[in-house]
Amino acid sequence: MRTSADIPADIAARARQLREQIDYHNYRYYVLDDPEIPDAAYDRLFRELQALEEQYPALVTADSPTQRVGAKPLKAFGEVRHEVPMLSLSNAFSDEEALEFGRRCAERLAIPVEQIEFTTEPKLDGLAISLLYEDGRLARGATRGDGYVGEDVTQNVRTIRSIPLRLRGEPGKDLPRVLEVRGEVYMPKAGFEALNERQRAAGEKPFANPRNAAAGSLRQLDPQVTASRPLAMYAYGVGQVEAGELPDRHSAILARLRQWGLPVSPEVRDGVRGIEACLAYHRAMKDKRPQLPYEIDGVVYKVDRLDQQEKLGFVSRAPRWAIAHKFPAQEALTRLLAIDIQVGRTGAITPVARLEPVEVGGVTVSSATLHNEDEIRRLDLRVGDTVIVYRAGDVIPKVAGVVLSRRPPEAKPFEMPKKCPVCGSDIVRLEGHAIARCSGGLYCPAQRKEAIKHFASRRAMDIEGLGEKLVEQLVDRDLVHDPADLYALTVEQLAGLERMAQKSAENLIAALEKSKSTTLPRFLFALGIREVGETTASILAEHFGDLKAIEAADVETLQAVPDVGPVVANSIYTFFRQPHNLEVIDKLLAAGIRWPKVAVKKPEALPLAGKVIVLTGTLQGMSRSEAKQRLQALGAKVTGSVSKKTDWVIAGTDPGSKLTKAQELGVEVLDEAGLMELLQQG
Ligand code: IVH
């Protein structure tokens, strides 16, 4: 083993320099939210340091940015006694209660409330953390526990990238020798959704909400597990401080924390005078809540001046100088009345929870998707159960869990029906598949309705005026069995339907006539072949040039098309082998559907032929699916996960773990400007 004496001075100096640079770029990225260099350049610095440390293990220091993971799993967490207790906040659930808080402060300080300055902050929905820095180095991380004694989660905290391992500044000079930072560890919404997808795919129980996911991830005995979870942290205060002066205002302390390299929420406002202004902040944050990348369950008002805080003091376990003004809850308890079965266009069976209506976050919820049979089993959901309903921002409501203690004794486990509730055909679930399907095909009215709705939809045949209710009537009254029957409808038949006047019937006939002139990609998409979305439809059209060639293609020929894998190829092949599908197509063509000739594009001639691209994060100029479509149209293969074969990762804002993966593998990362450059090659 080499010792530090063996390390050449220039190597040691380079390692120090690399660490400083990496720390600096972490600060730009996590604290200022303003990275200075592209991710790929950051990654080069990181890998250079890793290589040096590998060559000279004696170079490794505990606070090296390379040392975030690696600790061994623990048997149990140690105990940590908080020198300064970690208190909680009193809550206000209405404007009136917040005003009351202001009046109490004003009375005790003997000044009008309008003269009190507050700092207003988001109330992050995660779990409290205490971070102890000694001589600027992260020495210990602890949970709140009961406020007096918490758990030592140092190894786990070290894996959270937004938590600096070393503070900026000189201990004893501009940095206290001992500084305990308090903050909230949370899981961003996108990371939470992705984690739950992974949990489901692995057959494990999804987390009920981002708070539980954050807590469950931080309290892992194996730091490697924590490292794989998308956790982040915002600081909101300090605890113990030794040998160092802090400013005399809370807002200035937060500013100081930022300078030292700790992330503080950019939503924090200072100099907010009086409670009315605090209430305005509450309203603004409530509106902003769905757009925030993380969950908040309210806002916090804190008297800014520390001398005033001191005067106000504490009641039992909460300060009198602060209050959490909560938003309406995102979670509620209600009863599961029934589990209904919905049949989708492709026969997919989705169980849906029918709930006793309940208000969640200001919206009445009476149903929630249950994904599939396995999800019901994982949650052990039974009709009659009291369930936790969770709704975050604009996300569809979910059943997050069951209150087992309130389960009625007669409640029975859910059994997936064997027959389709709509057409009575067998429900089949192939081995290894999560989704069960009705085997009735277009015989099943539910599938027929969905197939016709899809056929008529804007991005398919774009038949204006053929809405959902109308399709249901047409199928229920046996006027339409398949999409081709639409073109045989008459004004008289239509005018006889509910909510149809002569004029609207005439308009619909005109819209049907107009829809006959279409494009091959639209027509292909409209057929509703499983796995064939708009993009694949376009690619197929451009590759084969006409419908007959696609119909005739065997699985191998189909797989030679860019972006068509075995599953898609099989689905297309099978579709065109069903006599009733061919009949419908013949009827449609006989009705006069036509499209302009398509020029066949040779895939190898496309500018991005052979390139493998992964998209992550939010793009400003276009949706991810549009970007995907445009890249594919230029011949690129757009995949969902980063590997050594990936040529570029395109990262928008709030990129996920794909970016980290790209950095690890040394894959080139492009920003949105880089994407635009690629697209201009077309
Ligand atoms: S200050 C003495 N500020 O809410 C005051 N807490 O019930 C200590 N929280 O355990 C807390 N965001 O985990 C404060 N901006 C914020 C916060 C915040 C979330 C959590 C914290 C604490 C709980 C208080």
Side-chain angles (χ1 to χ4, degrees):
M1 163 109 186
R2 292 176 208 245
T3 62
S4 42
D6 301 329
I7 302 170
D10 57 333
I11 299 277
R14 178 65 185 152
R16 208 174 318 118
Q17 191 184 31
L18 284 167
R19 274 179 206 139
E20 268 163 26
Q21 287 183 3
I22 292 168
D23 284 345
Y24 169 75
H25 292 300
N26 275 344
Y27 170 71
R28 301 280 314 203
Y29 187 92
Y30 290 110
V31 180
L32 302 185
D33 203 9
D34 181 22
E36 204 176 69
I37 56 170
D39 296 337
Y42 172 90
D43 194 38
R44 273 195 290 278
L45 297 174
F46 199 89
R47 272 180 295 151
E48 188 185 338
L49 178 60
Q50 265 178 330
L52 287 184
E53 289 180 345
E54 217 163 275
Q55 209 181 345
Y56 299 97
L59 266 182
V60 179
T61 58
D63 62 359
S64 172
T66 59
Q67 298 305 297
R68 287 201 176 263
V69 245
K72 291 205 175 58
L74 297 172
K75 293 235 159 29
F77 295 114
E79 276 190 359
V80 169
R81 181 161 292 279
H82 299 297
E83 288 293 322
V84 179
M86 291 181 79
L87 303 174
S88 54
L89 292 166
S90 319
N91 291 320
F93 293 99
S94 63
D95 286 5
E96 187 39 54
E97 286 176 17
L99 288 164
E100 184 52 44
F101 159 74
R103 281 193 284 273
R104 283 196 305 269
C105 290
E107 204 171 297
R108 283 188 178 258
L109 295 174
I111 52 171
V113 69
E114 296 74 32
Q115 280 179 20
I116 306 178
E117 276 185 46
F118 295 93
T119 297
T120 57
E121 306 174 3
K123 183 164 189 297
L124 301 150
D125 202 7
L127 73 155
I129 192 79
S130 144
L131 303 168
L132 189 70
Y133 286 90
E134 287 173 356
D135 292 322
R137 291 188 154 79
L138 177 63
R140 194 194 68 196
T143 62
R144 175 167 178 266
D146 64 2
Y148 299 95
V149 178
E151 283 173 326
D152 186 333
V153 287
T154 310
Q155 296 305 344
N156 293 348
V157 155
R158 293 175 62 87
T159 69
I160 302 174
R161 285 172 190 274
S162 54
I163 296 181
L165 298 176
R166 201 163 58 167
L167 296 181
R168 301 161 62 76
E170 262 185 69
K173 278 198 173 160
D174 49 352
L175 188 67
R177 216 194 57 70
V178 175
L179 173 71
E180 186 200 353
V181 179
R182 302 259 171 99
E184 194 87 347
V185 168
Y186 64 93
M187 189 175 287
K189 288 178 194 166
F192 166 71
E193 295 293 338
L195 171 63
N196 267 357
E197 276 310 310
R198 290 210 305 267
Q199 292 284 109
R200 279 194 195 99
E204 282 176 37
K205 206 168 163 172
F207 290 99
N209 52 45
R211 172 174 26 97
N212 288 2
S217 301
L218 189 68
R219 300 188 61 257
Q220 286 282 339
L221 290 169
D222 183 354
Q224 308 265 1
V225 176
T226 309
S228 74
R229 303 282 172 80
L231 294 174
M233 192 271 314
Y234 276 134
Y236 55 60
V238 293
Q240 191 190 349
V241 182
E242 276 174 33
E245 283 290 303
L246 283 186
D248 58 3
R249 279 177 178 262
H250 174 68
S251 53
I253 294 177
L254 292 184
R256 196 61 69 81
L257 291 178
R258 275 187 131 226
Q259 283 168 7
W260 286 330
L262 290 148
V264 173
S265 165
E267 307 300 334
V268 172
R269 298 287 172 269
D270 56 22
V272 182
R273 280 176 179 270
I275 295 295
E276 287 298 342
C278 289
L279 295 183
Y281 177 78
H282 183 266
R283 285 191 293 274
M285 290 303 287
K286 197 165 145 211
D287 289 345
K288 203 168 181 186
R289 187 185 194 185
Q291 280 95 51
L292 288 177
Y294 44 82
E295 273 302 320
I296 62 175
D297 58 349
V299 292
V300 184
Y301 311 141
K302 296 176 181 170
V303 171
D304 199 37
R305 277 172 47 176
L306 299 196
D307 61 329
Q308 292 181 338
Q309 287 192 359
E310 215 166 302
K311 250 192 205 160
L312 288 162
F314 295 84
V315 256
S316 65
R317 302 189 54 192
R320 280 205 197 87
W321 44 262
I323 197 152
H325 188 177
K326 302 289 274 283
F327 294 143
Q330 298 283 84
E331 278 179 349
L333 289 182
T334 189
R335 235 165 53 86
L336 177 65
L337 302 176
I339 297 177
D340 283 355
I341 298 297
Q342 258 173 16
V343 190
R345 172 170 68 85
T346 57
I349 302 280
T350 314
V352 177
R354 297 290 167 216
L355 306 165
E356 210 162 78
V358 64
E359 230 193 62
V360 193
V363 173
T364 305
V365 170
S366 55
S367 64
T369 171
L370 293 171
H371 296 281
N372 55 46
E373 192 181 357
D374 294 346
E375 174 95 348
I376 300 177
R377 200 135 297 146
R378 270 195 297 266
L379 292 166
D380 183 21
L381 215 56
R382 302 181 185 192
V383 171
D385 270 340
T386 298
V387 294
I388 304 161
V389 183
Y390 168 73
R391 198 185 140 264
D394 43 4
V395 182
I396 314 163
K398 285 184 204 123
V399 172
V402 175
V403 186
L404 283 177
S405 59
R406 295 208 199 161
R407 168 165 289 168
E410 69 281 5
K412 286 190 191 54
F414 171 76
E415 288 237 15
M416 192 68 154
K418 303 261 179 303
K419 304 274 182 201
C420 170
V422 180
C423 73
S425 303
D426 288 343
I427 289 180
V428 282
R429 182 174 164 191
L430 298 178
E431 221 177 285
H433 288 241
I435 303 287
R437 290 179 193 280
C438 160
S439 59
L442 286 183
Y443 168 74
C444 176
Q447 292 186 59
R448 225 184 296 153
K449 282 179 190 170
E450 294 306 319
I452 292 166
K453 281 183 214 166
H454 171 76
F455 182 83
S457 64
R458 200 170 48 79
R459 284 163 22 204
M461 299 301 282
D462 194 16
I463 306 172
E464 213 174 304
L466 189 58
E468 186 162 335
K469 288 273 172 298
L470 199 53
V471 171
E472 292 191 352
Q473 287 189 66
L474 291 171
V475 173
D476 289 342
R477 295 185 187 206
D478 254 352
L479 289 171
V480 169
H481 288 93
D482 61 52
D485 291 338
L486 291 170
Y487 293 97
L489 288 170
T490 62
V491 172
E492 291 69 41
Q493 282 173 324
L494 288 171
L497 299 172
E498 270 168 44
R499 293 201 287 182
M500 272 303 251
Q502 177 77 15
K503 184 73 198 143
S504 35
E506 282 168 12
N507 287 346
L508 181 56
I509 295 291
L512 278 160
E513 200 49 44
K514 189 169 151 220
S515 76
K516 287 180 183 172
S517 161
T518 184
T519 65
L520 178 55
R522 272 179 178 271
F523 182 74
L524 278 173
F525 175 58
L527 290 177
I529 307 167
R530 199 181 298 165
E531 311 287 347
V532 177
E534 279 172 285
T535 312
T536 311
S538 296
I539 295 174
L540 285 171
E542 281 175 5
H543 185 90
F544 288 99
D546 71 49
L547 182 63
K548 282 279 162 274
I550 304 172
E551 274 183 27
D554 58 20
V555 175
E556 227 167 70
T557 317
L558 286 164
Q559 277 202 66
V561 180
D563 221 44
V564 173
V567 175
V568 183
N570 259 306
S571 170
I572 300 168
Y573 179 81
T574 314
F575 182 90
F576 288 113
R577 297 299 161 295
Q578 307 306 308
H580 65 262
N581 288 338
L582 298 176
E583 254 169 57
V584 171
I585 291 173
D586 284 347
K587 262 167 71 183
L588 285 167
L589 297 179
I593 288 184
R594 63 204 170 264
W595 50 82
K597 249 191 108 49
V598 183
V600 178
K601 277 200 192 150
K602 278 266 165 280
E604 7 359 309
L606 292 170
L608 296 180
K611 296 292 182 203
V612 182
I613 300 179
V614 174
L615 295 165
T616 180
T618 314
L619 300 171
Q620 306 307 315
M622 68 184 86
S623 70
R624 260 205 333 236
S625 69
E626 189 189 338
K628 178 174 174 181
Q629 217 166 320
R630 290 177 60 181
L631 288 166
Q632 283 175 338
L634 295 177
K637 194 168 166 175
V638 180
T639 65
S641 60
V642 183
S643 76
K644 275 194 241 137
K645 292 202 186 114
T646 311
D647 289 289
W648 294 296
V649 167
I650 293 168
T653 47
D654 293 319
S657 58
K658 289 175 195 164
L659 178 60
T660 328
K661 186 80 191 281
Q663 289 167 346
E664 277 164 19
L665 294 175
V667 172
E668 188 175 351
V669 179
L670 300 181
D671 57 9
E672 195 161 343
L675 166 67
M676 295 320 288
E677 247 169 65
L678 285 185
L679 291 177
Q680 258 140 40
Q681 305 184 25

